[in-house]
Each structure stands twice: as structure tokens, then as C-alpha cells.
Amino acid sequence: MSEVIALDESSWSTADWALGAHPSAQGITFAVYAPAATRVQLEIFPDEIGSFASDTFLLAKGEDGVWRGNLQGLQLNALYGFRVWGSNWPFVEDWEPGSEAGFIADLDADGNRFNPNKVLFDPYAREITHNLYTDKLAKLGVNDGVFGTGGDDVNGVPRREIDTAIYAPKGVVIADYTPVTPKPNIPGERTAIYEVSVEQATAHPSTMRLGELLGDEPGFGAVGNIPDEYRGTYKGAGMLAPYLKALGLTTIELLPVHETNASESGRDSKTNAWGYMTLDFFAPNRLYAHDQSWGGPTREFKEMVSAFHDIGLEVYLDVVYNHTAEGGNWGGDVNTTGFTTLGGFATADYYQMTDAKILVDGATGTGNQLNYSQRAACLLVLDSLRYWTDVMQVDGFRFDLATVLGRLPGDADPDDWGQQKRFFSDHPLLVAISEFADENGIEVIAEAWDLWGYEVGNFPKGWGEWNGRYRDAVRRFTKGDGNAPGFIDMFNGDYHHFHTSGGAQKTINFVDAHDGFNMADLVSYQTKNNNQPYPFGPSDGGSDDNLSWDSGGSQSLRRQRVRNLWAILFLSRGVPMVVAGDEFGRTQNGNNNPWELHSLAMCNNYAMIPTNAPSGCRSRPGWRPPTTTTSASSRPPTTSTGSSASRPSWRT
């Protein structure tokens, strides 16, 4: 291995290298944004877990608040992380990893949480080595509590002193040149969307017989079997493209594929089947990749996109820019957080806080929400969108709780909740995203509500929006509520709300979505049924107001009502969106919020299609993935050590 050396250090403070790690002919440049930091140390690691840094380099700060460096002799797929000091923890000569030397406080006057004992991964890393809930850490006898700051006693030492070098996720230096088939550029008015997670699409063992199961179905001759090793992966999802084409759909919309927190085996409270807790806005989720090598998820994702583009289909991504997986204040203690990336570099530039510097999560309910009064946070979103559009070649994005991106926390007193909840249709970030979409020929779709407000129809021109009004009107009408005028308005494209937004092609019409009843259950259950035994439960949360009707228990009426819903959806003006499995009556047995249920019961069982007894279809004998019962995002990590035991992966 060649020696790694700093290249032309005198130029670092005036350089303009882009954020992240970027290989070039002159070396690999590194850049991270930390304007209030007083020292940033780049560390190179030989292994993802269990090893300390092999090389360290001090970066130089530019006038733009970015710390930069350029290394020569470092190879592609190198692993790297950072340590950061600030006014609350200035550097002193006798500091060493795991010491309290130099410590003054856990946060500075602006709420930044600098702690050099906590190795951070690059927010712009194109891949990271692992997530915080990985079973690899559990096997070492530790849990994610090691990443916390604050003075809690952990095995006789304050938590802030635990050095995380051997545990922390590391960035991976990526330079991938996998070609992607050009985009089909389908006009918005011709789009029909299929919403599904990578895992749900092909993890079920029935996919190994998919071609055989559909062999007698007209138009499905191009559909083939999916090999066992590709189930639940990007590779497997790409092989499903002919199936979606045969259904007459144009677009697959994948639930979040950004790196997230999840146990490989699905340990209790350490899983998230939907992926709505983003760790890194540039890195594809490694758990969905068959190719686990460094760079493998990136290559495999691009190959999946090509598989869809090859037959004229588009790929949209569900993206979560309203909050991150870094969580909030543990136990309500202002000193204790679990930052491993953004918050460790620049809390005040990325996160919304109260006047007392407690992290705000009122609109998201997930521990934190991002602060889009800050330029750095806005650039993070735009840079992420640009990467997935230009490099990964996706065709569009659906924004989870997009209203958070339209708020300006800096324009009001941090504790004035009435003013903090204001939504700005002309927010610079929303306008910039719309302009970016227009310039690049992609679609951007808002989930136009959160816990602070409902803003359907209020996004800037160019945005599409999930139309919750359409969903509710159709559900009411088809169960006999007598709301004909409202139903007709929605059926005709919701002119009142969308005529200034670009027309009916900007209303995304849906009857159901991933977070709620699926279509079969909408016509079969009066109320949600979440507290049921595995594999269809238990799960927490979920709306109590589903506008559902069990069709009086009539199976024939239920089947007819599902056909009616499909007809209404595809005859309405606007863009139709369906949920995976609705095409053949997939049921969740009334569970309307299985967000963390790591179960085959939540995956598409294609054996239901060529049979007159679909409810009799079962998974292969002896297969049982792990159960989950507690929401990982609803409680802080414990201070005890984790169990080293693991259970079979869903891919078993």
C-alpha cells in the first residue's frame, strides 16, 4: 500500500473543492461544512469496525466555513471519518481519544455539540460502511448508546468520553462509472405510479416462481423468475420491471433507499421496514444490495435504474428531508444527543432548536427537524437531489412531510409556536426545487402535510402533490356517504387547488398509500387491527379515521368495490398512484401502520395471482423472520450493552 500524504497543504484554506470526498488526477479532496468548529481532523481507517485510524490529517478552514484537504496515495474505497473540536470543547495538547481533556460543556452558546471523542461520518459520503443498529455492533457487546454525548454514567465513565472510532460508520470514497440507460422522459399527464419498497417488491419467496406463476396471464410473457439470492435487493427490483410494464404502469416509486438505521436480522426495536429515518442523503441503503462490497450498492442501484429505463419505465424515490435518524435529546436532556454526522459538525446550521437549544420535532414527531432558514440545510437538499438526478439518473422524487421544507424557523422567536408553524408557499427552497425539476425534466411530488399543518394545493407551481382530499372523497363516496359534489370535484382533477400549479397532472390521486389500509383492507375492515399476532402485527400508531367499510361482510361486494376503486382511480383526471399488491388483493389483515414490521406478510406474495383461493397462499414452510414490537424512534438508546445474539435474516 502506498504512503498517504497531504498534497499542497498551503492551498487548502483557499480551495473551493466540493463538499464530500472526490477522487481526481491530483488526489482525493475532502470537504466538510463546520463553520463554528475550531479544529477538524480527518482520519483514515483500515476497517469499518474494530480498528483505530491508520492516518490522521488536520484540515484547513476556508472563509465559507468549509474545512478542506487533499490526499495523495489514498486508494478508492478508502474508509474515512472526522473528529471535530469547538468552543465548548477546544483542543488541548494532552487530549487523546476517550479523554475529557479540554472539555468545557456539551454544547456551545448556539447549540452546536462538538465532541472529539465521537467520530463522525461525512454528510456527503456516497456510501457509508454500516448503520448504527447493525448486528455487527451487537456482536461486539455494544449498542448505539455509545454514540451519545452528555454526562450519563456508562460502566463508570461519562458517556461523552466513550471513543467511537471502532464503532462509528465510516464514509467510503466512491468513484463509480457504471453507465445508466437514458431516461424515458414520460410526460406527467401519462404517468401511473406503483408505490413499493425494495424489500416488499421481491423479498417474498414466490418471486422465485414469478415467471411460472404468471405464465398463463396474457401480456406477462416477459416476466421471469427472480433468483433466491436477489430477493429483496436492488437487483431483484430491477428484474421486476417487466411485471410493472405488463400491468400498464409507467413508474415505480420506491420507499426510501437512502441509508437508514436497521438491524440486518431485525432485532427488537432495531428495525424500520419503510426506511423513513435517513442517515445519509447520498448513500444507497446497503441492506438492499446483493453486492455488499464497497461501491457495490451504488453500482447495483444504477443497474436497477437501467433495467427500468431499458423498457421505458421511470424510477421515483421517496425522500426524507424533513428530519434525520440522528434523533433528538435523549431523555429530554439538552446535553445528551446521539449525533454521528450533521449534528456533530454544525447543529445550529442544520437543526431547528428552541431558545434553550432543545431539538425541535413538533412537525415530524421523530426527534428532530431540519432548519430550512439555514443556507447549509437548503444546499444539502439541493446537492442530494442533484446527485441522485445526475449521477444515479432517477426520474423524480416524492418528499416525505414536505411542508417542513416550506417553513422558516429563523423568521420567528424560537418558542413562538404559532409563528413557527407558518408555511411559506414561496419559500426559497421550494422554489429552487421546482426550478431544478423544470431544468432537469424530473418530477417533484410533495406530501403536503405534517403534524403542524395541511397544505395540499399550496405548493409552488411545478410541484406535484399527494392529494389527500381525493383519497378522502373517493373513500367516502364508495362507501355511500352521499358526498357526490365533493367526489365530482376530485374526479375532475381538483381544479380549485391545482389549476394554477400546472393542471390536473400535478394532483397525485390515490385511494391508499404505504401508511394506511391497503385497498383490500379498506373494503374489508371497519377499524384498524394493529394489535394482532405476528406476522401481521403488532404495530403502533396508525390513523383511527380510515373512512373504511367492511362491505357488510360480503366477499363478492368487497371484490366489486376493489374493481370500482381501480376504475375510478384510472378514469379520474390526474396522476394515479397504486400501492404494491393492490393489483391482486394483498391484505395486511387490517394493520394500517406496519412501519417496523419486518415480515414476509408485508411483502408481495405473487402466488395469490393465479388462484381462486388467494388467502390460502402461504410462505414456504419453516420460514419465520424476527418479530418487532417497540418503535426505535420513540425512545432513546439504553445505556446497557446489547445482546450479541442474532436471528435469521429475512433473506434466509
Side-chain angles (χ1 to χ4, degrees), residues 460-478:
K461 184 176 181 179
W463 278 82
E465 300 177 46
W466 269 22
N467 196 339
R469 293 187 179 93
Y470 177 94
R471 173 200 60 203
D472 295 346
V474 171
R475 287 187 178 194
R476 290 183 59 202
F477 182 77
T478 56

Side-chain angles (χ1 to χ4, degrees), residues 550-596:
D550 69 358
S551 307
S554 169
Q555 294 291 358
S556 61
L557 180 56
R558 288 170 179 168
R559 291 192 293 271
Q560 182 60 58
R561 291 184 64 210
V562 167
R563 290 193 290 270
N564 292 347
L565 289 169
W566 273 82
I568 290 169
L569 183 61
F570 280 85
L571 291 173
S572 297
R573 295 190 67 206
V575 175
M577 183 188 81
V578 298
V579 176
D582 279 352
E583 69 272 22
F584 54 78
R586 184 180 70 88
T587 179
Q588 295 174 173
N589 284 8
N591 191 326
N592 76 346
N593 196 42
W595 69 272
E596 62 165 352

Side-chain angles (χ1 to χ4, degrees), residues 309-599:
H309 288 180
D310 283 343
I311 59 173
L313 300 186
E314 295 181 315
V315 178
Y316 289 0
L317 300 185
D318 195 333
V319 287
V320 185
Y321 295 118
N322 59 83
H323 72 279
T324 77
E326 290 197 282
N329 294 96
W330 295 2
D333 178 13
V334 70
N335 295 303
T336 307
T337 57
F339 291 150
T340 54
T341 181
L342 290 170
F345 289 105
T347 316
D349 286 82
Y350 289 116
Y351 290 115
Q352 183 173 350
M353 291 180 283
T354 67
D355 192 50
K357 309 308 177 189
I358 290 286
L359 292 164
V360 173
D361 72 344
T364 67
T366 57
N368 63 60
Q369 57 201 51
L370 289 167
N371 181 354
Y372 291 111
S373 285
Q374 296 292 339
R375 182 174 182 272
C378 294
L379 288 178
L380 176 71
V381 173
L382 293 170
D383 289 343
S384 172
L385 294 175
R386 187 172 295 107
Y387 177 73
W388 289 94
T389 300
D390 294 346
V391 177
M392 306 297 255
Q393 287 289 296
V394 302
D395 306 273
F397 303 89
R398 178 266 186 188
F399 293 72
D400 179 64
L401 302 185
T403 40
V404 173
L405 282 65
R407 296 205 169 86
L408 292 168
D411 281 14
D413 183 284
D415 294 328
D416 185 340
W417 301 113
Q419 295 294 300
Q420 288 291 338
K421 293 178 181 180
R422 292 177 300 169
F423 174 79
F424 296 87
S425 295
D426 60 350
H427 192 293
L429 178 57
L430 297 182
V431 173
I433 292 172
S434 178
E435 292 173 348
F436 175 80
D438 182 61
E439 292 167 2
N440 290 274
I442 62 168
E443 294 294 327
V444 290
I445 300 167
E447 181 184 33
W449 57 82
D450 59 23
L451 298 179
W452 276 358
Y454 190 83
E455 302 292 344
V456 173
N458 294 333
F459 273 67
K461 184 176 181 179
W463 278 82
E465 300 177 46
W466 269 22
N467 196 339
R469 293 187 179 93
Y470 177 94
R471 173 200 60 203
D472 295 346
V474 171
R475 287 187 178 194
R476 290 183 59 202
F477 182 77
T478 56
K479 75 184 186 74
D481 278 7
N483 60 318
F487 168 76
I488 292 171
D489 284 345
M490 296 302 107
F491 186 86
N492 282 327
D494 196 1
Y495 176 85
H496 176 70
H497 291 102
F498 288 94
H499 73 282
T500 60
S501 300
Q505 67 266 26
K506 295 302 180 182
T507 169
I508 310 303
N509 297 335
F510 65 104
V511 175
D512 59 335
H514 66 273
D515 54 348
F517 276 154
N518 52 15
M519 197 176 287
D521 291 353
L522 182 65
V523 301
S524 303
Y525 288 85
Q526 292 290 96
T527 59
K528 68 182 183 183
N529 182 31
N530 293 2
N531 189 26
Q532 57 179 303
Y534 185 88
F536 287 96
S539 66
D540 61 1
S543 175
D544 294 321
D545 184 17
N546 296 284
L547 298 175
S548 61
W549 176 44
D550 69 358
S551 307
S554 169
Q555 294 291 358
S556 61
L557 180 56
R558 288 170 179 168
R559 291 192 293 271
Q560 182 60 58
R561 291 184 64 210
V562 167
R563 290 193 290 270
N564 292 347
L565 289 169
W566 273 82
I568 290 169
L569 183 61
F570 280 85
L571 291 173
S572 297
R573 295 190 67 206
V575 175
M577 183 188 81
V578 298
V579 176
D582 279 352
E583 69 272 22
F584 54 78
R586 184 180 70 88
T587 179
Q588 295 174 173
N589 284 8
N591 191 326
N592 76 346
N593 196 42
W595 69 272
E596 62 165 352
L597 196 57
H598 203 64
S599 159

